[in-house]
Amino acid sequence: MNDLAMDLVRLCLHNRDGSMATQANRRRGPSAAAADLYQLGFRVPKATSLKPKHVTALVDYWYGQGITTATVKNRVGWLRWWAEKVDKSSIIPRDNLELGIRNREGDQRNRAWSLPPNFSLPDARMVLSVRLMQAFGLRVEEALKFRPRQADAGSVIRLQGSWTKGGRAREIPVRTFAQRALLDEAKYLVGANSMIPPDDTFIRHRRRLEHETLKRGYTNLHGLRHRYAQNRYRDLTGWECPKTGGPAAGQLTEAQRTADKAARAAIAEELGHARVAITVVYLG
């Protein structure tokens, strides 16, 4: 048993909420996650050292092992409990879709949406951050930590690993005049800084953004990434994806299947996912 696993056992012993069976599962579950992290090469010294990259790596590893979505959800539940007990709940997204976990096997509901023309929030940085999410398929964390002057490389934006979930740097193409105008607007507003106000922290600003968007009925910011993925699929293939009424896999010709595979690989990379299979969540 490594140091992290021992620390997690102590955490469980000091937090005896739930039934005896629940407590027993928690002792086994987080300890198993600690062993998986060690197997993946992470040397996490203690329970309070949990980071978003660890959560992402575990989810990708579990799916890579052929574990079902239902079991992955249960394991993420252990991680949420762990994060809550060390006061780091915010590092795990509230929506499993942000981790690439389907709500249920075979779920074909389209969760994509677009910002209305009159979209507004009390803070200009918040507005631009949400618009960046829509324009480039960014996660909330990425849109807030985004430094437009540093990221803008002309034909692409370059996301630094320190801004992204899992620490995976990536590039996203700048394809339209609207994207270019948005980048220029963001650079004008924040200069060399990030989208987080200089006198604020990431955690506080994110909580305020979530509060303000929820108050206005925008309950699924992750749906903006879904819309980005679906638009990109249409651009790359020339037809709609299954979630927006396009042909199912069995209806594609051999040439279309090749184009579909290439488009999904490109979209997974632009969204910052290691698994192409995750595109099923966005595209069907």
Side-chain angles (χ1 to χ4, degrees), residues 42-231:
F42 292 103
R43 300 299 178 258
V44 185
K46 52 189 177 180
T48 54
S49 303
L50 183 66
K51 296 180 180 178
K53 65 180 180 181
H54 301 139
V55 178
T56 302
L58 284 170
V59 171
D60 287 344
Y61 175 70
W62 291 333
Y63 269 121
Q65 297 295 107
I67 294 172
T68 66
T69 292
T71 300
V72 171
K73 282 184 178 181
N74 288 336
R75 295 185 178 189
V76 170
W78 301 336
L79 299 182
R80 291 188 197 281
W81 180 87
W82 168 3
E84 177 189 346
K85 296 308 178 185
V86 296
D87 198 28
K88 301 186 80 171
S89 298
S90 62
I91 70 169
I92 303 180
R94 292 178 300 177
D95 190 340
N96 279 339
L97 287 174
E98 293 193 45
L99 294 171
I101 300 172
R102 305 178 205 177
N103 281 327
R104 62 176 181 269
E105 299 292 350
D107 186 355
Q108 289 297 309
R109 287 177 293 174
N110 188 2
R111 300 178 182 278
W113 63 285
S114 301
L115 296 175
N118 61 345
F119 175 75
S120 66
L121 292 170
D123 179 88
R125 288 174 185 260
M126 289 184 182
V127 172
L128 281 179
S129 294
V130 176
R131 289 173 61 198
L132 285 165
M133 291 180 64
Q134 175 172 263
F136 295 100
L138 304 183
R139 300 179 176 96
V140 173
E141 178 178 358
E142 295 165 348
L144 295 182
K145 294 181 178 180
F146 187 73
R147 293 177 177 268
R149 185 170 294 176
Q150 181 179 346
D152 189 358
S155 61
V156 298
I157 57 170
R158 292 175 178 156
L159 303 186
Q160 306 301 308
S162 58
W163 308 345
T164 67
K165 188 174 74 175
R168 298 179 70 245
R170 69 182 192 274
E171 293 184 352
I172 302 172
V174 180
R175 315 175 321 278
T176 68
F177 290 117
Q179 287 175 317
R180 168 52 51 199
L182 181 60
L183 283 174
D184 291 342
E185 187 177 351
K187 285 190 288 186
Y188 179 80
L189 178 68
V190 304
N193 299 317
S194 74
M195 305 303 292
I196 302 168
D199 59 347
D200 208 349
T201 66
F202 164 67
I203 295 297
R204 285 201 303 264
H205 190 59
R206 175 169 183 159
R207 286 174 179 167
R208 272 199 288 271
L209 172 64
E210 290 175 343
H211 172 74
E212 293 296 340
T213 51
L214 284 171
K215 187 166 68 174
R216 289 162 175 79
Y218 303 118
T219 59
N220 176 27
L221 290 179
H222 199 67
L224 299 174
R225 273 165 62 82
H226 285 242
R227 178 63 69 209
Y228 175 86
Q230 292 167 10
N231 289 342

